[in-house]
Amino acid sequence: MNAELSYQPHWIREDFVDFILQKIKPTFAWKRILSEVTAVEPLSADMVLLTLKPNHNFDIRQVQAGQSVLITLMINGVYQQRSYSIIDVTAQGEIRLGIKVQGVVSKAAQQLRVGDHFEISQAQGDFILHQGQQPAVLIASGSGITAIYSLLQQALQQQLEQIHVLYFNRAEVFHQDILALAEQYPQLHYHFFNTSAQKQHLDAALLEKLVPNFKDVKAYACGHHSMMRQAQDIYTQQGVAENFHQEFFQPIQIEHSSEAQPISFRRAQQNFIATTNLLSSAEQAGLRPQHGCRMGVCNRCSCTKVSGVTQNVITGEIDDQPNRPIKLCVSQALSPVTIDL
Protein backbone atom coordinates (compact mmCIF):
# COMPACT_ATOMS: atom_id res chain seq x y z
CA MET A 1 0.00 0.00 0.00
CA ASN A 2 1.40 3.35 -1.05
CA ALA A 3 1.54 5.95 1.63
CA GLU A 4 0.59 9.42 0.51
CA LEU A 5 2.80 12.08 1.91
CA SER A 6 1.54 15.62 1.93
CA TYR A 7 3.32 18.77 3.02
CA GLN A 8 1.29 21.33 4.89
CA PRO A 9 3.31 24.50 5.47
CA HIS A 10 2.85 26.43 8.68
CA TRP A 11 1.81 30.05 8.54
CA ILE A 12 4.79 32.33 8.96
CA ARG A 13 4.34 34.91 11.65
CA GLU A 14 4.75 38.49 10.47
CA ASP A 15 6.55 39.61 13.64
CA PHE A 16 9.15 36.85 13.17
CA VAL A 17 9.75 37.87 9.55
CA ASP A 18 10.12 41.52 10.65
CA PHE A 19 12.58 40.47 13.35
CA ILE A 20 14.78 38.75 10.75
CA LEU A 21 14.46 41.57 8.19
CA GLN A 22 15.42 44.22 10.74
CA LYS A 23 18.65 42.37 11.41
CA ILE A 24 19.53 43.24 7.81
CA LYS A 25 18.25 46.82 7.93
CA PRO A 26 16.28 48.50 10.76
CA THR A 27 13.53 49.79 8.44
CA PHE A 28 12.93 46.50 6.59
CA ALA A 29 9.49 45.04 7.34
CA TRP A 30 6.95 42.79 5.65
CA LYS A 31 3.91 45.06 5.97
CA ARG A 32 4.63 47.66 8.61
CA ILE A 33 5.74 51.16 7.69
CA LEU A 34 9.03 51.86 9.41
CA SER A 35 10.82 55.15 8.94
CA GLU A 36 14.32 56.44 9.59
CA VAL A 37 15.16 59.94 10.82
CA THR A 38 17.39 61.57 8.20
CA ALA A 39 17.49 65.14 9.52
CA VAL A 40 16.56 67.15 12.62
CA GLU A 41 16.54 70.95 12.30
CA PRO A 42 15.32 73.67 14.70
CA LEU A 43 12.30 75.71 13.64
CA SER A 44 11.94 77.72 16.86
CA ALA A 45 12.88 77.51 20.53
CA ASP A 46 10.37 74.69 21.10
CA MET A 47 9.81 73.25 17.62
CA VAL A 48 11.89 71.07 15.31
CA LEU A 49 11.65 69.98 11.69
CA LEU A 50 11.87 66.19 11.49
CA THR A 51 12.70 64.58 8.14
CA LEU A 52 11.80 60.90 7.76
CA LYS A 53 12.57 58.30 5.11
CA PRO A 54 9.78 55.70 5.15
CA ASN A 55 10.30 52.16 3.87
CA HIS A 56 8.74 50.78 0.69
CA ASN A 57 5.42 50.05 2.43
CA PHE A 58 4.61 53.75 2.62
CA ASP A 59 2.55 54.89 -0.39
CA ILE A 60 4.12 58.28 -0.94
CA ARG A 61 2.17 58.78 -4.18
CA GLN A 62 -1.08 58.97 -2.22
CA VAL A 63 0.04 61.77 0.13
CA GLN A 64 -2.14 64.88 -0.18
CA ALA A 65 -1.35 68.32 1.21
CA GLY A 66 -2.92 68.80 4.64
CA GLN A 67 -2.81 65.13 5.60
CA SER A 68 -0.94 63.69 8.56
CA VAL A 69 0.82 60.54 9.72
CA LEU A 70 0.46 58.72 13.01
CA ILE A 71 3.84 58.06 14.61
CA THR A 72 4.38 55.33 17.21
CA LEU A 73 7.12 55.70 19.81
CA MET A 74 8.01 53.51 22.77
CA ILE A 75 8.04 55.72 25.87
CA ASN A 76 8.92 54.17 29.23
CA GLY A 77 8.20 50.71 27.87
CA VAL A 78 4.77 51.63 26.44
CA TYR A 79 3.93 52.34 22.78
CA GLN A 80 2.31 55.76 22.41
CA GLN A 81 0.95 57.45 19.29
CA ARG A 82 0.38 60.96 18.03
CA SER A 83 -0.64 62.45 14.69
CA TYR A 84 1.48 65.13 12.95
CA SER A 85 0.81 67.06 9.75
CA ILE A 86 3.02 66.38 6.76
CA ILE A 87 4.61 69.66 5.76
CA ASP A 88 5.81 68.37 2.39
CA VAL A 89 7.40 65.49 0.51
CA THR A 90 10.99 65.87 -0.67
CA ALA A 91 12.40 64.85 -4.06
CA GLN A 92 14.22 62.02 -2.25
CA GLY A 93 10.94 60.45 -1.12
CA GLU A 94 11.15 61.78 2.44
CA ILE A 95 8.40 63.41 4.49
CA ARG A 96 8.88 66.40 6.78
CA LEU A 97 7.02 66.97 10.04
CA GLY A 98 7.00 69.95 12.41
CA ILE A 99 7.15 68.80 16.04
CA LYS A 100 6.38 71.19 18.90
CA VAL A 101 6.63 70.23 22.57
CA GLN A 102 3.05 69.95 23.80
CA GLY A 103 2.78 66.45 25.22
CA VAL A 104 4.56 63.21 26.09
CA VAL A 105 4.90 61.98 22.49
CA SER A 106 6.00 65.37 21.16
CA LYS A 107 8.69 65.64 23.82
CA ALA A 108 10.00 62.18 22.93
CA ALA A 109 9.84 62.97 19.20
CA GLN A 110 11.95 66.10 19.71
CA GLN A 111 14.68 63.96 21.25
CA LEU A 112 14.98 61.74 18.16
CA ARG A 113 18.28 61.79 16.33
CA VAL A 114 19.45 60.98 12.80
CA GLY A 115 19.46 57.22 12.36
CA ASP A 116 16.61 56.52 14.80
CA HIS A 117 13.72 54.52 13.39
CA PHE A 118 10.10 53.91 14.38
CA GLU A 119 6.71 52.99 12.94
CA ILE A 120 4.38 55.42 11.16
CA SER A 121 1.02 55.08 9.42
CA GLN A 122 0.00 55.79 5.86
CA ALA A 123 -0.96 59.41 5.17
CA GLN A 124 -4.43 60.00 6.58
CA GLY A 125 -7.10 62.63 7.10
CA ASP A 126 -9.49 64.66 4.96
CA PHE A 127 -8.14 68.15 5.71
CA ILE A 128 -7.35 68.71 2.05
CA LEU A 129 -7.81 71.55 -0.40
CA HIS A 130 -10.85 71.83 -2.66
CA GLN A 131 -10.49 71.09 -6.38
CA GLY A 132 -10.34 73.86 -8.95
CA GLN A 133 -9.02 77.41 -8.72
CA GLN A 134 -11.57 79.06 -6.44
CA PRO A 135 -10.06 81.34 -3.74
CA ALA A 136 -9.19 80.13 -0.24
CA VAL A 137 -8.59 81.58 3.22
CA LEU A 138 -5.95 79.74 5.24
CA ILE A 139 -5.95 80.46 9.00
CA ALA A 140 -3.21 79.24 11.35
CA SER A 141 -2.12 79.73 14.94
CA GLY A 142 0.83 78.20 16.75
CA SER A 143 2.11 74.93 15.31
CA GLY A 144 -1.04 74.69 13.21
CA ILE A 145 1.10 76.45 10.59
CA THR A 146 2.50 73.04 9.58
CA ALA A 147 -0.78 71.90 8.01
CA ILE A 148 -1.59 75.37 6.66
CA TYR A 149 1.85 75.75 5.05
CA SER A 150 1.28 72.43 3.32
CA LEU A 151 -2.11 73.63 2.00
CA LEU A 152 -0.52 76.91 0.89
CA GLN A 153 2.01 75.09 -1.27
CA GLN A 154 -0.82 73.07 -2.82
CA ALA A 155 -2.92 76.21 -3.37
CA LEU A 156 -0.06 77.83 -5.28
CA GLN A 157 0.47 74.68 -7.30
CA GLN A 158 -3.25 74.60 -8.18
CA GLN A 159 -3.01 78.28 -9.15
CA LEU A 160 -5.90 79.41 -6.98
CA GLU A 161 -7.21 82.80 -8.08
CA GLN A 162 -6.67 84.33 -4.65
CA ILE A 163 -5.12 83.06 -1.41
CA HIS A 164 -5.31 84.78 1.97
CA VAL A 165 -3.11 83.50 4.82
CA LEU A 166 -3.88 84.70 8.37
CA TYR A 167 -1.19 83.54 10.79
CA PHE A 168 -1.13 84.13 14.57
CA ASN A 169 2.01 83.05 16.44
CA ARG A 170 4.62 84.17 18.95
CA ALA A 171 7.34 82.41 16.92
CA GLU A 172 7.99 83.19 13.26
CA VAL A 173 7.94 79.58 12.02
CA PHE A 174 7.82 79.61 8.19
CA HIS A 175 7.22 83.38 8.32
CA GLN A 176 10.16 84.26 6.05
CA ASP A 177 9.24 81.44 3.65
CA ILE A 178 5.68 82.75 3.28
CA LEU A 179 6.92 86.33 2.87
CA ALA A 180 9.11 85.18 -0.01
CA LEU A 181 6.17 83.36 -1.59
CA ALA A 182 3.98 86.45 -1.25
CA GLU A 183 6.58 88.48 -3.17
CA GLN A 184 6.69 85.84 -5.87
CA TYR A 185 2.93 85.25 -6.22
CA PRO A 186 0.70 88.35 -6.47
CA GLN A 187 -2.43 86.30 -5.73
CA LEU A 188 -1.09 85.49 -2.25
CA HIS A 189 -2.06 87.97 0.48
CA TYR A 190 -0.20 87.32 3.72
CA HIS A 191 -1.29 88.68 7.12
CA PHE A 192 1.03 87.79 10.02
CA PHE A 193 0.35 88.70 13.65
CA ASN A 194 3.19 88.23 16.14
CA THR A 195 1.09 87.64 19.25
CA SER A 196 3.99 88.35 21.61
CA ALA A 197 4.18 91.90 20.20
CA GLN A 198 0.46 92.56 19.67
CA LYS A 199 -2.54 90.95 21.34
CA GLN A 200 -4.49 90.40 18.16
CA HIS A 201 -7.09 87.66 18.02
CA LEU A 202 -9.28 86.42 15.20
CA ASP A 203 -12.74 87.98 15.11
CA ALA A 204 -15.39 88.73 12.51
CA ALA A 205 -14.32 92.38 12.13
CA LEU A 206 -10.70 91.46 11.42
CA LEU A 207 -11.66 88.73 8.98
CA GLU A 208 -14.04 91.03 7.11
CA LYS A 209 -11.40 93.76 6.96
CA LEU A 210 -8.72 91.49 5.53
CA VAL A 211 -10.97 89.33 3.36
CA PRO A 212 -14.13 91.32 2.51
CA ASN A 213 -15.66 88.41 0.59
CA PHE A 214 -14.74 85.74 3.19
CA LYS A 215 -18.32 84.41 3.35
CA ASP A 216 -18.02 83.26 -0.26
CA VAL A 217 -14.57 81.69 0.12
CA LYS A 218 -13.53 78.24 1.34
CA ALA A 219 -11.71 78.53 4.66
CA TYR A 220 -9.22 76.15 6.27
CA ALA A 221 -8.10 76.58 9.89
CA CYS A 222 -5.60 74.77 12.07
CA GLY A 223 -4.31 75.84 15.46
CA HIS A 224 -5.21 76.46 19.08
CA HIS A 225 -8.67 75.46 20.26
CA SER A 226 -9.71 79.03 21.10
CA MET A 227 -8.88 80.30 17.61
CA MET A 228 -10.58 77.31 16.00
CA ARG A 229 -13.75 77.82 18.03
CA GLN A 230 -13.80 81.49 17.13
CA ALA A 231 -13.34 80.79 13.41
CA GLN A 232 -16.05 78.13 13.48
CA ASP A 233 -18.43 80.50 15.30
CA ILE A 234 -17.82 83.24 12.72
CA TYR A 235 -18.68 81.01 9.78
CA THR A 236 -21.65 79.47 11.59
CA GLN A 237 -23.11 82.87 12.56
CA GLN A 238 -22.72 84.05 8.96
CA GLY A 239 -24.67 81.02 7.78
CA VAL A 240 -21.78 79.63 5.71
CA ALA A 241 -20.51 76.82 7.96
CA GLU A 242 -20.23 74.57 4.91
CA ASN A 243 -17.31 76.71 3.72
CA PHE A 244 -15.32 76.13 6.91
CA HIS A 245 -12.86 73.24 7.33
CA GLN A 246 -10.63 72.62 10.34
CA GLU A 247 -7.93 70.35 11.67
CA PHE A 248 -6.84 70.11 15.31
CA PHE A 249 -3.10 69.62 15.85
CA GLN A 250 -3.32 68.44 19.46
CA PRO A 251 -5.63 66.17 21.46
CA ILE A 252 -9.01 67.66 22.26
CA GLN A 253 -9.45 68.72 25.87
CA ILE A 254 -13.03 67.88 26.75
CA GLU A 255 -14.66 69.15 29.89
CA HIS A 256 -16.67 66.74 31.98
CA SER A 257 -20.33 66.81 31.07
CA SER A 258 -22.84 67.98 33.63
CA GLU A 259 -24.57 64.62 33.49
CA ALA A 260 -22.90 61.20 33.41
CA GLN A 261 -24.37 58.81 30.85
CA PRO A 262 -24.47 54.99 30.78
CA ILE A 263 -22.68 53.46 27.77
CA SER A 264 -22.94 49.90 26.48
CA PHE A 265 -20.46 48.13 24.19
CA ARG A 266 -22.88 45.63 22.73
CA ARG A 267 -20.63 42.89 21.31
CA ALA A 268 -18.20 42.99 24.23
CA GLN A 269 -21.12 43.06 26.70
CA GLN A 270 -19.37 45.79 28.67
CA ASN A 271 -21.07 48.72 30.38
CA PHE A 272 -19.57 51.88 31.85
CA ILE A 273 -20.38 55.47 32.74
CA ALA A 274 -19.18 58.32 30.50
CA THR A 275 -18.39 61.74 31.93
CA THR A 276 -16.04 62.87 29.17
CA ASN A 277 -15.40 61.64 25.59
CA LEU A 278 -16.33 58.03 24.91
CA LEU A 279 -12.76 56.86 24.35
CA SER A 280 -11.38 58.31 27.59
CA SER A 281 -14.42 57.15 29.56
CA ALA A 282 -14.02 53.61 28.24
CA GLU A 283 -10.33 53.62 29.17
CA GLN A 284 -11.13 54.92 32.67
CA ALA A 285 -13.47 51.92 33.01
CA GLY A 286 -10.59 49.56 32.16
CA LEU A 287 -11.55 48.94 28.52
CA ARG A 288 -9.10 49.25 25.64
CA PRO A 289 -10.92 50.16 22.41
CA GLN A 290 -8.76 50.60 19.33
CA HIS A 291 -7.58 54.17 18.84
CA GLY A 292 -4.80 56.27 17.39
CA CYS A 293 -4.47 60.04 17.20
CA ARG A 294 -7.16 61.03 19.77
CA MET A 295 -7.92 64.03 17.55
CA GLY A 296 -10.58 62.70 15.19
CA VAL A 297 -8.10 62.41 12.33
CA CYS A 298 -6.97 58.81 11.90
CA ASN A 299 -10.40 57.10 12.12
CA ARG A 300 -9.00 54.13 14.06
CA CYS A 301 -11.62 54.57 16.79
CA SER A 302 -14.51 54.83 14.33
CA CYS A 303 -17.44 52.58 15.15
CA THR A 304 -21.23 52.42 14.82
CA LYS A 305 -23.52 54.08 17.33
CA VAL A 306 -26.50 51.75 17.53
CA SER A 307 -28.67 54.10 19.57
CA GLY A 308 -28.50 57.23 21.71
CA VAL A 309 -27.52 60.86 21.31
CA THR A 310 -23.90 62.02 20.96
CA GLN A 311 -22.20 65.33 20.24
CA ASN A 312 -19.09 65.83 18.13
CA VAL A 313 -16.93 68.05 20.35
CA ILE A 314 -15.07 69.51 17.37
CA THR A 315 -18.03 70.53 15.20
CA GLY A 316 -20.68 70.72 17.92
CA GLU A 317 -22.96 68.55 15.76
CA ILE A 318 -25.53 66.52 17.68
CA ASP A 319 -26.42 63.09 16.29
CA ASP A 320 -29.63 61.44 17.50
CA GLN A 321 -30.04 58.98 14.64
CA PRO A 322 -29.49 55.20 15.10
CA ASN A 323 -26.80 53.18 13.34
CA ARG A 324 -24.54 56.11 12.56
CA PRO A 325 -20.70 56.10 12.41
CA ILE A 326 -18.96 58.06 15.17
CA LYS A 327 -15.40 58.55 16.41
CA LEU A 328 -15.03 57.67 20.07
CA CYS A 329 -12.26 60.19 20.74
CA VAL A 330 -14.31 63.24 19.72
CA SER A 331 -17.80 62.05 20.72
CA GLN A 332 -19.52 62.83 24.01
CA ALA A 333 -22.73 61.16 25.15
CA LEU A 334 -25.80 63.32 25.77
CA SER A 335 -27.99 60.30 26.57
CA PRO A 336 -27.54 56.59 27.23
CA VAL A 337 -25.65 55.21 24.20
CA THR A 338 -25.20 51.72 22.76
CA ILE A 339 -22.18 51.11 20.53
CA ASP A 340 -21.47 48.16 18.24
CA LEU A 341 -18.16 47.17 19.83
Side-chain angles (χ1 to χ4, degrees), residues 152-204:
L152 171 59
Q153 294 175 88
Q154 180 62 33
L156 292 171
Q157 185 177 331
Q158 277 182 220
Q159 299 182 343
L160 266 57
E161 297 168 355
Q162 193 175 65
I163 308 162
H164 284 274
V165 176
L166 282 66
Y167 180 23
F168 305 82
N169 202 354
R170 288 176 296 179
E172 297 185 349
V173 177
F174 293 127
H175 173 55
Q176 294 300 325
D177 301 77
I178 302 175
L179 277 177
L181 290 173
E183 292 181 4
Q184 183 179 354
Y185 296 93
Q187 71 269 36
L188 171 56
H189 306 278
Y190 180 40
H191 317 280
F192 176 69
F193 302 94
N194 187 320
T195 53
S196 64
Q198 59 180 126
K199 300 301 180 184
Q200 178 65 61
H201 301 286
L202 179 69
D203 56 33

Side-chain angles (χ1 to χ4, degrees), residues 52-240:
L52 307 177
K53 178 68 173 179
N55 66 11
H56 68 282
N57 293 322
F58 185 73
D59 194 347
I60 205 159
R61 298 167 300 176
Q62 297 300 315
V63 176
Q64 298 185 70
Q67 289 189 310
S68 60
V69 291
L70 194 67
I71 75 171
T72 302
L73 299 178
M74 179 174 282
I75 303 171
N76 297 326
V78 177
Y79 283 111
Q80 303 216 34
Q81 296 179 312
R82 174 79 196 277
S83 184
Y84 295 97
S85 296
I86 300 172
I87 296 171
D88 54 23
V89 176
T90 72
Q92 293 73 38
E94 300 165 316
I95 59 174
R96 301 199 303 164
L97 313 176
I99 310 289
K100 181 178 180 179
V101 173
Q102 50 197 10
V104 174
V105 180
S106 297
K107 184 176 180 180
Q110 282 215 342
Q111 296 171 354
L112 292 169
R113 296 293 178 262
V114 172
D116 289 344
H117 55 277
F118 52 89
E119 186 171 358
I120 65 172
S121 70
Q122 296 286 3
Q124 58 191 14
D126 53 9
F127 188 64
I128 56 178
L129 201 65
H130 59 272
Q131 298 295 311
Q133 296 179 306
Q134 293 78 17
V137 180
L138 309 179
I139 308 171
S141 70
S143 59
I145 190 61
T146 54
I148 293 301
Y149 186 64
S150 178
L151 288 185
L152 171 59
Q153 294 175 88
Q154 180 62 33
L156 292 171
Q157 185 177 331
Q158 277 182 220
Q159 299 182 343
L160 266 57
E161 297 168 355
Q162 193 175 65
I163 308 162
H164 284 274
V165 176
L166 282 66
Y167 180 23
F168 305 82
N169 202 354
R170 288 176 296 179
E172 297 185 349
V173 177
F174 293 127
H175 173 55
Q176 294 300 325
D177 301 77
I178 302 175
L179 277 177
L181 290 173
E183 292 181 4
Q184 183 179 354
Y185 296 93
Q187 71 269 36
L188 171 56
H189 306 278
Y190 180 40
H191 317 280
F192 176 69
F193 302 94
N194 187 320
T195 53
S196 64
Q198 59 180 126
K199 300 301 180 184
Q200 178 65 61
H201 301 286
L202 179 69
D203 56 33
L206 178 66
L207 190 54
E208 190 163 10
K209 175 185 176 182
L210 299 178
V211 192
N213 64 333
F214 80 90
K215 289 184 285 187
D216 304 318
V217 178
K218 296 287 186 184
Y220 303 84
C222 185
H224 294 294
H225 296 153
S226 57
M227 185 276 286
M228 303 277 275
R229 295 291 189 200
Q230 182 64 17
Q232 185 180 34
D233 287 346
I234 292 170
Y235 277 82
T236 300
Q237 290 164 7
Q238 296 294 331
V240 288

